[in-house]
Amino acid sequence: QPYSEHNCYALNVLRSLLSRLVIRHSKEQTLNNGDALVALPPRTVETLLLPFCSEAEKTIYEYLESRNTQRFMELRSESPTTVLGKYIELQGMMYSTRLACGHSSLVKLDSLQNLNEKLEYERQEKEKNKLGYGKSQTMKKKNQSSTRADIYQEAISKARPSAQGRMREAVLQFQES
């Protein structure tokens, strides 16, 4: 009963009694003569390469592997801090590859497609900025008189590919009302 009531005195008594019966050891502990207190066999690692069950599994895994390798190389070519800044993205890539190793049905192909579209959009934006199509182009456009349709079209073109269709629908609904 004292234990279930979380009585501090009772818990201390229980700990002192159990400390005489239960002994915890670590691998680093040694006897007086220098031998290991807990003798474990040496660690062995065996790598088994298993064939894929189907051609679809192989295709999905190879696709993930090439995409992840390409994305990592892109991040690494930018700078080491970019790789560290994208740690969560890298963990997600590893997770999806691990899922594919378990079974190809665990991989959500729709989310991969959306991610690919997002990465492609980011890559295109970086190329535009490198070529000088960044702020100077938008400043020139601001100086010119633009119609509402031009502004909508520019907003749609700057949207992520996965959102462009929804934006077009929203603009059409807005224009109809």
Side-chain angles (χ1 to χ4, degrees), residues 42-123:
R43 181 178 181 177
T44 57
V45 176
E46 292 182 34
T47 303
L48 300 174
L49 299 177
L50 301 174
F52 290 102
C53 294
S54 69
E55 199 60 36
E57 282 184 2
K58 183 177 181 180
T59 304
I60 289 173
Y61 185 80
E62 287 175 350
Y63 169 74
L64 286 172
E65 183 182 25
S66 65
R67 183 189 64 114
N68 292 347
T69 303
Q70 178 186 3
R71 179 64 178 151
F72 178 76
M73 292 307 204
E74 287 174 5
L75 292 174
R76 195 172 82 175
S77 67
E78 290 178 21
S79 72
T81 55
T82 304
V83 174
L84 293 174
K86 299 284 185 169
Y87 178 77
I88 299 297
E89 181 183 336
L90 294 171
Q91 287 294 325
M93 290 173 7
M94 292 295 295
Y95 181 70
S96 65
T97 308
R98 286 186 184 128
L99 284 177
C101 289
H103 197 276
S104 59
S105 66
L106 298 173
V107 178
K108 295 179 182 174
L109 297 177
D110 293 338
S111 63
L112 284 178
Q113 179 64 26
N114 290 340
L115 179 62
N116 285 338
E117 289 173 355
K118 177 184 170 190
L119 293 176
E120 181 63 25
Y121 175 76
E122 288 177 2
R123 188 184 61 75

Coordinates of all heavy atoms in Angstrom, one line a residue, residues 42-123:
P42 N 32.6 -11.3 -29.6 CA 32.9 -10.1 -30.5 C 31.7 -9.9 -31.5 O 31.0 -10.8 -31.8 CB 34.1 -10.6 -31.3 CG 34.2 -12.0 -31.2 CD 33.5 -12.4 -29.9
R43 N 31.5 -8.7 -31.8 CA 30.4 -8.3 -32.7 C 30.7 -8.7 -34.1 O 31.8 -8.5 -34.7 CB 30.2 -6.8 -32.6 CG 29.1 -6.3 -33.5 CD 28.9 -4.8 -33.3 NE 27.8 -4.3 -34.1 CZ 27.4 -3.1 -34.2 NH1 28.1 -2.2 -33.4 NH2 26.4 -2.7 -34.9
T44 N 29.7 -9.4 -34.7 CA 29.8 -9.7 -36.1 C 28.7 -9.1 -36.9 O 27.6 -9.1 -36.5 CB 29.8 -11.3 -36.3 OG1 28.5 -11.7 -35.8 CG2 30.9 -12.0 -35.6
V45 N 29.1 -8.6 -38.1 CA 28.1 -8.0 -39.0 C 28.1 -8.7 -40.3 O 29.1 -8.9 -40.9 CB 28.5 -6.5 -39.3 CG1 27.5 -5.9 -40.2 CG2 28.5 -5.7 -38.0
E46 N 26.9 -9.2 -40.7 CA 26.8 -9.9 -41.9 C 25.8 -9.1 -42.8 O 24.7 -8.8 -42.4 CB 26.2 -11.3 -41.7 CG 27.2 -12.2 -41.0 CD 26.6 -13.6 -40.9 OE1 25.9 -14.1 -41.8 OE2 26.9 -14.3 -39.8
T47 N 26.3 -8.8 -44.0 CA 25.4 -8.1 -45.0 C 24.9 -9.1 -46.0 O 25.7 -9.8 -46.7 CB 26.2 -7.0 -45.7 OG1 26.8 -6.1 -44.7 CG2 25.3 -6.2 -46.6
L48 N 23.6 -9.2 -46.1 CA 23.0 -10.1 -47.0 C 22.2 -9.3 -48.1 O 21.4 -8.4 -47.7 CB 22.0 -11.0 -46.3 CG 22.5 -11.9 -45.2 CD1 21.4 -12.7 -44.5 CD2 23.5 -12.9 -45.8
L49 N 22.6 -9.5 -49.3 CA 21.9 -8.8 -50.4 C 20.8 -9.7 -50.9 O 21.0 -10.8 -51.4 CB 22.9 -8.5 -51.5 CG 24.1 -7.5 -51.1 CD1 25.0 -7.3 -52.3 CD2 23.5 -6.2 -50.7
L50 N 19.6 -9.2 -50.7 CA 18.4 -10.0 -51.1 C 17.8 -9.5 -52.4 O 17.8 -8.3 -52.7 CB 17.3 -9.9 -50.1 CG 17.7 -10.4 -48.7 CD1 16.6 -10.1 -47.7 CD2 18.1 -11.9 -48.7
P51 N 17.3 -10.3 -53.3 CA 16.7 -9.9 -54.5 C 15.4 -9.2 -54.3 O 14.7 -9.5 -53.3 CB 16.6 -11.1 -55.4 CG 16.5 -12.2 -54.4 CD 17.4 -11.8 -53.2
F52 N 15.0 -8.3 -55.1 CA 13.7 -7.7 -55.0 C 12.6 -8.7 -55.4 O 12.8 -9.6 -56.2 CB 13.5 -6.5 -55.9 CG 14.4 -5.3 -55.5 CD1 15.6 -5.0 -56.1 CD2 14.0 -4.5 -54.4 CE1 16.4 -4.0 -55.6 CE2 14.7 -3.5 -54.0 CZ 15.9 -3.2 -54.6
C53 N 11.4 -8.6 -54.8 CA 10.4 -9.6 -55.0 C 9.7 -9.3 -56.4 O 9.2 -10.3 -57.0 CB 9.3 -9.5 -53.9 SG 9.9 -10.0 -52.3
S54 N 9.7 -8.1 -56.8 CA 9.1 -7.8 -58.1 C 9.9 -6.7 -58.8 O 10.7 -6.0 -58.2 CB 7.6 -7.4 -57.9 OG 7.6 -6.1 -57.3
E55 N 9.6 -6.5 -60.1 CA 10.2 -5.5 -60.8 C 9.8 -4.1 -60.4 O 10.5 -3.1 -60.4 CB 9.9 -5.7 -62.3 CG 10.9 -5.0 -63.2 CD 12.3 -5.4 -63.1 OE1 12.6 -6.6 -62.8 OE2 13.2 -4.5 -63.2
A56 N 8.5 -4.0 -59.9 CA 8.0 -2.7 -59.4 C 8.8 -2.2 -58.2 O 9.1 -1.1 -58.0 CB 6.5 -2.8 -59.1
E57 N 9.0 -3.2 -57.2 CA 9.8 -2.8 -56.0 C 11.2 -2.3 -56.4 O 11.7 -1.3 -55.9 CB 10.0 -4.0 -55.1 CG 8.8 -4.4 -54.3 CD 9.0 -5.5 -53.4 OE1 10.2 -6.0 -53.3 OE2 8.1 -5.9 -52.6
K58 N 11.8 -3.0 -57.4 CA 13.2 -2.6 -57.8 C 13.1 -1.2 -58.5 O 14.0 -0.4 -58.2 CB 13.7 -3.6 -58.8 CG 15.1 -3.3 -59.3 CD 15.6 -4.4 -60.2 CE 17.0 -4.1 -60.7 NZ 17.5 -5.1 -61.6
T59 N 12.1 -0.9 -59.3 CA 12.0 0.3 -59.9 C 11.8 1.5 -58.9 O 12.4 2.5 -59.0 CB 10.8 0.3 -60.9 OG1 11.0 -0.7 -61.8 CG2 10.7 1.6 -61.7
I60 N 10.9 1.3 -57.9 CA 10.7 2.3 -56.9 C 11.9 2.5 -56.1 O 12.3 3.7 -55.8 CB 9.5 1.8 -56.0 CG1 8.2 1.9 -56.8 CG2 9.4 2.7 -54.7 CD1 7.0 1.4 -56.0
Y61 N 12.6 1.5 -55.7 CA 13.8 1.6 -54.9 C 14.9 2.4 -55.7 O 15.5 3.3 -55.2 CB 14.3 0.3 -54.4 CG 15.5 0.5 -53.4 CD1 15.3 0.8 -52.1 CD2 16.8 0.3 -53.9 CE1 16.3 1.1 -51.3 CE2 17.9 0.6 -53.0 CZ 17.6 0.9 -51.7 OH 18.7 1.1 -50.9
E62 N 15.1 2.0 -56.9 CA 16.1 2.6 -57.7 C 15.8 4.1 -58.0 O 16.7 5.0 -58.0 CB 16.3 1.9 -59.1 CG 17.0 0.6 -58.9 CD 17.1 -0.2 -60.2 OE1 16.5 0.1 -61.2 OE2 17.9 -1.2 -60.2
Y63 N 14.5 4.4 -58.2 CA 14.1 5.8 -58.3 C 14.4 6.6 -57.1 O 14.9 7.7 -57.2 CB 12.6 5.8 -58.7 CG 12.0 7.2 -58.6 CD1 12.3 8.1 -59.6 CD2 11.2 7.6 -57.5 CE1 11.8 9.4 -59.5 CE2 10.7 8.9 -57.4 CZ 11.0 9.8 -58.4 OH 10.5 11.1 -58.3
L64 N 14.0 6.0 -55.9 CA 14.3 6.7 -54.7 C 15.8 7.0 -54.5 O 16.2 8.0 -54.0 CB 13.7 6.0 -53.5 CG 12.2 6.0 -53.3 CD1 11.7 5.1 -52.2 CD2 11.7 7.4 -53.0
E65 N 16.5 5.9 -54.7 CA 18.0 6.0 -54.5 C 18.6 7.1 -55.4 O 19.4 7.9 -55.0 CB 18.6 4.7 -54.8 CG 20.1 4.7 -54.6 CD 20.8 3.3 -55.0 OE1 20.2 2.6 -55.8 OE2 21.8 3.1 -54.4
S66 N 18.2 7.1 -56.7 CA 18.8 8.1 -57.6 C 18.3 9.5 -57.2 O 19.1 10.5 -57.3 CB 18.4 7.8 -59.1 OG 17.1 7.9 -59.3
R67 N 17.0 9.7 -56.9 CA 16.5 11.0 -56.5 C 17.2 11.5 -55.3 O 17.6 12.7 -55.2 CB 15.0 10.9 -56.3 CG 14.4 12.3 -56.0 CD 13.0 12.1 -55.5 NE 12.9 11.3 -54.3 CZ 12.5 11.8 -53.2 NH1 12.0 13.0 -53.1 NH2 12.5 11.0 -52.1
N68 N 17.3 10.7 -54.2 CA 17.9 11.1 -53.0 C 19.4 11.4 -53.2 O 19.9 12.4 -52.6 CB 17.8 10.0 -51.9 CG 16.4 9.8 -51.5 OD1 15.5 10.6 -51.8 ND2 16.1 8.7 -50.8
T69 N 20.1 10.6 -54.0 CA 21.5 10.9 -54.3 C 21.7 12.2 -55.0 O 22.5 13.0 -54.6 CB 22.1 9.8 -55.1 OG1 22.0 8.5 -54.4 CG2 23.6 10.0 -55.3
Q70 N 20.8 12.5 -56.0 CA 20.9 13.7 -56.7 C 20.6 14.9 -55.8 O 21.3 15.9 -55.9 CB 19.9 13.7 -57.9 CG 19.9 14.9 -58.7 CD 18.8 14.9 -59.7 OE1 18.0 14.0 -59.8 NE2 18.7 16.0 -60.5
R71 N 19.6 14.8 -55.0 CA 19.3 15.9 -54.1 C 20.4 16.2 -53.1 O 20.7 17.3 -52.8 CB 17.9 15.6 -53.4 CG 17.5 16.7 -52.4 CD 17.2 18.0 -53.1 NE 16.7 18.9 -52.1 CZ 16.9 20.2 -52.3 NH1 17.4 20.7 -53.3 NH2 16.5 21.1 -51.3
F72 N 21.0 15.1 -52.5 CA 22.1 15.3 -51.6 C 23.3 16.0 -52.3 O 23.9 16.9 -51.7 CB 22.5 13.9 -51.0 CG 23.6 14.1 -50.0 CD1 23.4 14.6 -48.8 CD2 24.9 13.7 -50.4 CE1 24.5 14.7 -47.9 CE2 26.0 13.9 -49.6 CZ 25.8 14.4 -48.3
M73 N 23.6 15.6 -53.5 CA 24.7 16.2 -54.2 C 24.4 17.7 -54.5 O 25.3 18.5 -54.4 CB 25.0 15.4 -55.5 CG 25.5 14.0 -55.3 SD 26.9 14.1 -54.2 CE 27.7 12.6 -54.7
E74 N 23.1 18.0 -54.8 CA 22.8 19.4 -55.0 C 23.0 20.2 -53.7 O 23.6 21.3 -53.8 CB 21.3 19.5 -55.4 CG 21.0 19.1 -56.8 CD 19.5 19.1 -57.1 OE1 18.7 19.6 -56.2 OE2 19.1 18.7 -58.2
L75 N 22.6 19.7 -52.6 CA 22.8 20.4 -51.3 C 24.2 20.5 -51.0 O 24.7 21.5 -50.5 CB 22.0 19.6 -50.2 CG 20.5 19.6 -50.3 CD1 19.9 18.8 -49.2 CD2 20.0 21.1 -50.2
R76 N 25.0 19.4 -51.2 CA 26.4 19.4 -50.9 C 27.2 20.4 -51.8 O 28.1 21.0 -51.3 CB 27.0 18.0 -51.0 CG 28.3 17.9 -50.3 CD 28.8 16.5 -50.3 NE 29.4 16.1 -51.6 CZ 29.9 15.0 -51.9 NH1 30.0 14.0 -51.0 NH2 30.4 14.8 -53.0
S77 N 26.8 20.5 -53.0 CA 27.5 21.4 -53.9 C 27.3 22.9 -53.5 O 28.1 23.8 -53.8 CB 27.1 21.2 -55.4 OG 25.7 21.6 -55.5
E78 N 26.1 23.2 -52.9 CA 25.9 24.6 -52.4 C 26.8 24.9 -51.3 O 27.6 25.9 -51.4 CB 24.4 24.7 -52.0 CG 23.5 24.7 -53.1 CD 22.0 24.8 -52.7 OE1 21.8 25.3 -51.6 OE2 21.2 24.4 -53.4
S79 N 26.8 24.2 -50.2 CA 27.7 24.4 -49.0 C 27.4 23.4 -47.9 O 26.2 22.8 -47.9 CB 27.6 25.8 -48.5 OG 26.4 25.9 -47.7
P80 N 28.3 23.1 -47.1 CA 28.1 22.2 -46.0 C 27.0 22.7 -45.0 O 26.2 21.9 -44.5 CB 29.4 22.1 -45.2 CG 30.4 22.5 -46.2 CD 29.7 23.5 -47.1
T81 N 26.9 24.0 -44.9 CA 25.8 24.5 -44.0 C 24.4 24.2 -44.6 O 23.5 24.1 -43.8 CB 26.0 26.0 -43.7 OG1 26.1 26.7 -44.9 CG2 27.3 26.3 -42.9
T82 N 24.3 24.2 -45.9 CA 23.0 23.9 -46.5 C 22.6 22.5 -46.2 O 21.4 22.2 -45.9 CB 23.1 24.1 -48.0 OG1 23.6 25.4 -48.3 CG2 21.8 23.8 -48.7
V83 N 23.6 21.6 -46.2 CA 23.3 20.2 -45.8 C 22.8 20.1 -44.4 O 21.8 19.4 -44.1 CB 24.5 19.3 -46.0 CG1 24.2 17.9 -45.5 CG2 24.9 19.2 -47.5
L84 N 23.4 20.8 -43.5 CA 23.0 20.8 -42.1 C 21.7 21.5 -41.9 O 20.9 21.1 -41.1 CB 24.1 21.5 -41.2 CG 25.4 20.8 -41.1 CD1 26.4 21.7 -40.3 CD2 25.3 19.5 -40.5
G85 N 21.4 22.5 -42.7 CA 20.1 23.2 -42.6 C 19.0 22.4 -43.1 O 17.8 22.6 -42.8
K86 N 19.2 21.4 -44.0 CA 18.2 20.6 -44.6 C 18.2 19.2 -43.9 O 17.8 18.2 -44.5 CB 18.4 20.4 -46.1 CG 18.4 21.7 -46.8 CD 17.0 22.2 -47.0 CE 17.0 23.4 -47.9 NZ 15.7 23.8 -48.3
Y87 N 18.6 19.1 -42.6 CA 18.7 17.9 -41.9 C 17.3 17.1 -41.9 O 17.3 15.9 -42.1 CB 19.1 18.1 -40.5 CG 19.2 16.9 -39.6 CD1 20.3 16.0 -39.7 CD2 18.2 16.6 -38.7 CE1 20.4 14.9 -39.0 CE2 18.3 15.5 -37.9 CZ 19.4 14.6 -38.1 OH 19.5 13.5 -37.3
I88 N 16.2 17.8 -41.6 CA 14.9 17.1 -41.6 C 14.6 16.6 -43.0 O 14.0 15.5 -43.1 CB 13.8 18.1 -41.1 CG1 14.2 18.6 -39.7 CG2 12.5 17.5 -41.2 CD1 14.2 17.5 -38.6
E89 N 14.9 17.3 -44.0 CA 14.6 16.9 -45.4 C 15.4 15.6 -45.7 O 14.9 14.6 -46.2 CB 14.9 17.9 -46.4 CG 14.7 17.5 -47.8 CD 15.1 18.6 -48.8 OE1 15.2 19.7 -48.5 OE2 15.3 18.2 -50.0
L90 N 16.6 15.6 -45.2 CA 17.5 14.4 -45.4 C 17.0 13.2 -44.7 O 17.0 12.1 -45.2 CB 18.9 14.7 -45.1 CG 19.6 15.7 -45.9 CD1 21.0 16.1 -45.3 CD2 19.8 15.2 -47.3
Q91 N 16.5 13.4 -43.4 CA 15.9 12.3 -42.6 C 14.7 11.8 -43.3 O 14.4 10.6 -43.3 CB 15.6 12.8 -41.2 CG 16.8 13.1 -40.4 CD 17.5 11.8 -40.1 OE1 16.9 10.7 -39.9 NE2 18.8 11.9 -40.0
G92 N 13.9 12.7 -43.9 CA 12.7 12.2 -44.6 C 13.0 11.4 -45.8 O 12.3 10.4 -46.1
M93 N 14.1 11.7 -46.5 CA 14.5 11.0 -47.7 C 15.0 9.6 -47.2 O 14.6 8.6 -47.8 CB 15.7 11.7 -48.4 CG 15.2 12.9 -49.1 SD 16.5 14.0 -49.9 CE 18.0 13.2 -49.7
M94 N 15.7 9.5 -46.1 CA 16.1 8.2 -45.6 C 15.0 7.4 -45.1 O 14.9 6.2 -45.4 CB 17.1 8.4 -44.4 CG 18.4 9.0 -44.8 SD 19.4 7.9 -45.9 CE 19.7 6.6 -44.8
Y95 N 14.0 8.0 -44.5 CA 12.8 7.3 -44.0 C 12.0 6.7 -45.2 O 11.6 5.5 -45.1 CB 11.9 8.3 -43.2 CG 10.7 7.6 -42.7 CD1 10.8 6.7 -41.7 CD2 9.4 7.9 -43.2 CE1 9.6 6.1 -41.1 CE2 8.3 7.3 -42.7 CZ 8.4 6.4 -41.7 OH 7.3 5.8 -41.2
S96 N 11.8 7.5 -46.3 CA 11.1 6.9 -47.4 C 11.8 5.8 -48.0 O 11.2 4.8 -48.5 CB 10.8 8.0 -48.4 OG 12.0 8.5 -49.0
T97 N 13.1 5.8 -48.1 CA 13.9 4.7 -48.6 C 13.8 3.5 -47.7 O 13.7 2.4 -48.2 CB 15.4 5.2 -48.8 OG1 15.4 6.4 -49.5 CG2 16.2 4.1 -49.5
R98 N 13.9 3.7 -46.4 CA 13.7 2.6 -45.5 C 12.3 1.9 -45.7 O 12.2 0.7 -45.6 CB 13.9 3.0 -44.1 CG 15.3 3.3 -43.8 CD 15.5 3.6 -42.3 NE 16.9 3.9 -42.0 CZ 17.3 5.0 -41.4 NH1 16.4 5.8 -40.9 NH2 18.5 5.3 -41.2
L99 N 11.3 2.7 -45.8 CA 10.0 2.2 -46.1 C 9.9 1.4 -47.3 O 9.3 0.3 -47.4 CB 8.9 3.3 -46.2 CG 8.5 4.0 -44.9 CD1 7.5 5.1 -45.2 CD2 7.9 3.0 -43.9
A100 N 10.6 1.8 -48.4 CA 10.6 1.1 -49.6 C 11.3 -0.2 -49.5 O 11.0 -1.2 -50.1 CB 11.3 1.9 -50.7
C101 N 12.3 -0.3 -48.6 CA 13.0 -1.5 -48.3 C 12.1 -2.5 -47.7 O 12.1 -3.7 -47.9 CB 14.2 -1.3 -47.5 SG 15.6 -0.5 -48.3
G102 N 11.2 -2.0 -46.8 CA 10.2 -2.9 -46.1 C 9.2 -3.5 -47.1 O 9.1 -4.7 -47.2
H103 N 8.6 -2.6 -47.8 CA 7.6 -3.0 -48.9 C 7.2 -1.8 -49.7 O 7.1 -0.7 -49.2 CB 6.4 -3.6 -48.2 CG 5.6 -4.4 -49.2 ND1 4.7 -3.9 -50.1 CD2 5.5 -5.8 -49.5 CE1 4.1 -4.8 -50.8 NE2 4.6 -6.0 -50.5
S104 N 7.1 -2.0 -51.0 CA 6.9 -0.9 -51.9 C 5.5 -0.2 -51.6 O 5.3 0.9 -52.0 CB 7.0 -1.3 -53.3 OG 6.1 -2.3 -53.6
S105 N 4.6 -1.0 -51.1 CA 3.3 -0.4 -50.9 C 3.3 0.6 -49.7 O 2.3 1.4 -49.6 CB 2.2 -1.5 -50.5 OG 2.6 -2.1 -49.3
L106 N 4.3 0.7 -48.9 CA 4.4 1.7 -47.8 C 4.8 3.0 -48.3 O 4.7 4.0 -47.6 CB 5.4 1.2 -46.8 CG 5.1 -0.1 -46.1 CD1 6.3 -0.6 -45.2 CD2 3.8 0.0 -45.3
V107 N 5.3 3.1 -49.6 CA 5.8 4.4 -50.1 C 4.6 5.1 -50.8 O 3.9 4.5 -51.6 CB 6.9 4.2 -51.1 CG1 7.3 5.5 -51.7 CG2 8.1 3.5 -50.5
K108 N 4.3 6.4 -50.4 CA 3.3 7.1 -50.9 C 3.8 7.9 -52.2 O 4.5 8.8 -52.1 CB 2.7 8.2 -49.9 CG 2.1 7.5 -48.7 CD 1.6 8.6 -47.8 CE 1.1 7.9 -46.5 NZ 0.7 8.9 -45.5
L109 N 3.4 7.4 -53.3 CA 3.9 7.9 -54.6 C 3.4 9.3 -54.8 O 4.1 10.1 -55.5 CB 3.5 7.0 -55.7 CG 4.2 5.6 -55.6 CD1 3.7 4.7 -56.8 CD2 5.7 5.6 -55.6
D110 N 2.2 9.7 -54.4 CA 1.7 11.0 -54.6 C 2.5 12.0 -53.8 O 2.8 13.1 -54.4 CB 0.2 11.1 -54.1 CG -0.7 10.3 -54.9 OD1 -0.4 10.0 -56.1 OD2 -1.8 9.9 -54.4
S111 N 2.9 11.7 -52.6 CA 3.7 12.7 -51.8 C 5.1 12.8 -52.5 O 5.7 13.9 -52.4 CB 3.8 12.3 -50.4 OG 4.5 11.0 -50.3
L112 N 5.6 11.7 -53.0 CA 6.9 11.8 -53.7 C 6.8 12.7 -55.0 O 7.7 13.5 -55.2 CB 7.4 10.4 -54.2 CG 7.9 9.5 -53.1 CD1 8.3 8.2 -53.7 CD2 9.2 10.1 -52.4
Q113 N 5.7 12.6 -55.7 CA 5.5 13.4 -56.9 C 5.4 14.9 -56.5 O 6.0 15.7 -57.1 CB 4.2 13.0 -57.6 CG 3.9 13.8 -58.8 CD 5.0 13.7 -59.9 OE1 5.7 12.7 -60.0 NE2 5.1 14.7 -60.7
N114 N 4.7 15.2 -55.4 CA 4.6 16.6 -54.9 C 6.0 17.1 -54.5 O 6.3 18.3 -54.8 CB 3.6 16.7 -53.8 CG 2.2 16.5 -54.2 OD1 1.9 16.6 -55.4 ND2 1.3 16.2 -53.3
L115 N 6.7 16.3 -53.8 CA 8.1 16.7 -53.4 C 9.0 16.9 -54.6 O 9.7 17.9 -54.6 CB 8.7 15.6 -52.5 CG 10.1 15.9 -52.0 CD1 10.1 17.2 -51.1 CD2 10.6 14.7 -51.2
N116 N 8.9 16.1 -55.6 CA 9.7 16.3 -56.8 C 9.3 17.6 -57.5 O 10.2 18.3 -58.0 CB 9.5 15.1 -57.8 CG 10.2 13.9 -57.3 OD1 11.2 14.0 -56.5 ND2 9.8 12.7 -57.8
E117 N 8.0 17.9 -57.6 CA 7.6 19.1 -58.2 C 8.1 20.3 -57.4 O 8.6 21.3 -58.0 CB 6.1 19.2 -58.3 CG 5.5 18.3 -59.3 CD 4.0 18.2 -59.2 OE1 3.4 18.8 -58.3 OE2 3.4 17.5 -60.1
K118 N 8.1 20.2 -56.1 CA 8.6 21.3 -55.2 C 10.1 21.5 -55.4 O 10.6 22.6 -55.6 CB 8.3 21.0 -53.8 CG 8.9 22.0 -52.8 CD 8.6 21.6 -51.4 CE 9.4 22.5 -50.4 NZ 9.4 22.0 -49.1
L119 N 10.9 20.4 -55.5 CA 12.3 20.5 -55.7 C 12.6 21.1 -57.1 O 13.6 21.8 -57.2 CB 12.9 19.1 -55.5 CG 12.9 18.5 -54.1 CD1 13.5 17.1 -54.0 CD2 13.6 19.4 -53.1
E120 N 11.9 20.6 -58.1 CA 12.1 21.2 -59.4 C 11.8 22.7 -59.5 O 12.6 23.4 -60.1 CB 11.2 20.4 -60.4 CG 11.4 20.9 -61.8 CD 12.8 20.6 -62.4 OE1 13.5 19.7 -61.9 OE2 13.2 21.3 -63.3
Y121 N 10.8 23.1 -58.8 CA 10.4 24.5 -58.8 C 11.6 25.3 -58.1 O 12.0 26.4 -58.6 CB 9.1 24.7 -58.0 CG 8.8 26.2 -57.8 CD1 8.3 26.9 -58.9 CD2 8.9 26.8 -56.6 CE1 8.0 28.3 -58.7 CE2 8.6 28.1 -56.4 CZ 8.1 28.8 -57.4 OH 7.8 30.2 -57.2
E122 N 12.1 24.8 -56.9 CA 13.2 25.5 -56.3 C 14.4 25.5 -57.1 O 15.1 26.5 -57.2 CB 13.5 24.7 -55.0 CG 12.5 24.9 -53.9 CD 12.8 24.1 -52.6 OE1 13.9 23.4 -52.6 OE2 12.0 24.2 -51.7
R123 N 14.7 24.5 -57.9 CA 15.9 24.4 -58.7 C 15.7 25.5 -59.9 O 16.6 26.2 -60.2 CB 16.0 23.0 -59.3 CG 17.3 22.9 -60.1 CD 17.4 21.5 -60.8 NE 16.4 21.2 -61.7 CZ 16.3 21.8 -63.0 NH1 17.3 22.6 -63.4 NH2 15.3 21.5 -63.8

